[in-house]
Amino acid sequence: MIDHIFFYLGLSFITIHEMDAIRCREWRIFPGLSLLSDKLGYIVFVLVHIPLFFFIYWELTHSQDIAVFIKSFNIFTIIHLGLHVLFLKHKNNEFKDWISWTILIGAGLCGLIDLII
């Protein structure tokens, strides 16, 4: 059995969520980014994700303690889901369909399961 299979599945969900976040214009929910025009918000949102994903891939291949990174990422997926629940009623929240919530809940559940097992 592959180690941390739920971590990798959660990482897949988060990756797909970020694609969905562009469709749903997630930057319109963030304080600060919500003040920008849609075009500039989109550009900033996309460009900020380049170093974020670089960091994830770097940690997966170069981390001195991969277990700490995996645990931290799992906790992030749970907090991330909580934030989406918290902002569910935000006027600019477009994460309303079943596919968006399947992805969000999938990431959070995978993080929780990986922490437990």
Side-chain angles (χ1 to χ4, degrees):
M1 184 84 170
I2 191 170
D3 286 342
H4 297 287
I5 192 166
F6 287 101
F7 161 76
Y8 287 104
L9 185 56
L11 176 58
S12 299
F13 275 119
I14 285 292
T15 303
I16 295 303
H17 164 67
E18 294 310 326
M19 292 179 195
D20 190 44
I22 292 170
R23 177 186 68 90
C24 293
R25 300 180 293 185
E26 188 173 28
W27 58 88
R28 297 174 72 213
I29 300 172
F30 282 101
L33 287 181
S34 63
L35 301 173
L36 303 175
S37 68
D38 256 359
K39 183 176 182 175
L40 186 56
Y42 163 77
I43 291 168
V44 171
F45 187 81
V46 169
L47 292 179
V48 163
H49 281 80
I50 295 169
L52 289 175
F53 276 96
F54 176 83
F55 172 75
I56 291 168
Y57 300 135
W58 181 268
E59 286 296 311
L60 288 173
T61 57
H62 294 86
S63 178
Q64 297 298 317
D65 193 348
I66 191 75
V68 170
F69 173 74
I70 289 174
K71 182 177 181 179
S72 300
F73 189 85
N74 287 332
I75 292 168
F76 163 76
T77 64
I78 297 165
I79 292 170
H80 180 262
L81 174 58
L83 289 171
H84 273 277
V85 170
L86 184 68
F87 284 95
L88 186 60
K89 302 284 186 193
H90 190 283
K91 67 177 183 164
N92 291 326
N93 186 348
E94 295 183 28
F95 294 98
K96 301 290 185 182
D97 60 3
W98 69 269
I99 190 88
S100 292
W101 280 96
T102 299
I103 295 165
L104 286 162
I105 292 168
L109 279 177
C110 285
L112 179 63
I113 292 168
D114 197 65
L115 284 173
I116 292 171
I117 59 172

